[in-house]
Amino acid sequence: MMKKTLLSLALVLGCMLAVPRAFAHAVLVSSTPAIHGTAHGPDVEIALKYNSRVDGARSTLTLVKVGGASQALTLEKQPAPEELLAHAKLGVGEYTIRWQAVAADGHITRGEIPFTVK
């Protein structure tokens, strides 16, 4: 009886290890502008690339001017399932993009990208 239980337990553990894990969280892998990077205004492209698919309809980008107001950015049609894209007209100064990405399975990740416009 004990041998049969141990064999069943080993079989279950083996199956669990054999199934590839799904990494559902959208992790930012690159951005334009880069973190602590410099962009040239006034027309600034904001492009964020993640390690997995993101839901562009439920993800958000907010632009914050250091010492100033914030504004929600309108996301454009996704150029690829793992990318978010927006454009903004920005004057010289320091800004932060606050992003919230919703992965295809609903997991939410957030982050900030500080950058300078010259």
Side-chain angles (χ1 to χ4, degrees):
M1 177 73 169
M2 180 71 155
K3 186 176 180 181
K4 191 173 183 179
T5 301
L6 287 175
L7 184 59
S8 296
L9 182 60
L11 181 62
V12 169
L13 288 173
C15 289
M16 289 174 64
L17 294 173
V19 175
R21 293 182 179 168
F23 295 100
H25 293 84
V27 176
L28 184 69
V29 294
S30 67
S31 68
T32 301
I35 296 174
H36 299 294
T38 300
H40 297 279
D43 296 318
V44 176
E45 178 181 270
I46 299 166
L48 282 64
K49 185 172 183 178
Y50 298 89
N51 68 334
S52 64
R53 298 173 63 108
V54 292
D55 183 344
R58 297 189 298 157
S59 299
T60 60
L61 298 180
T62 303
L63 182 70
V64 181
K65 181 170 173 89
V66 173
S70 64
Q71 71 178 71
L73 296 174
T74 301
L75 290 172
E76 298 183 10
K77 182 180 177 186
Q78 289 182 265
E82 66 280 350
E83 294 180 23
L84 298 175
L85 179 66
H87 287 87
K89 290 198 178 286
L90 303 176
V92 173
E94 295 180 24
Y95 297 87
T96 297
I97 299 166
R98 290 187 181 144
W99 59 265
Q100 176 176 295
V102 180
D105 67 351
H107 283 108
I108 297 173
T109 53
R110 296 177 180 90
E112 294 187 346
I113 302 167
F115 67 100
T116 302
V117 174
K118 291 189 175 181

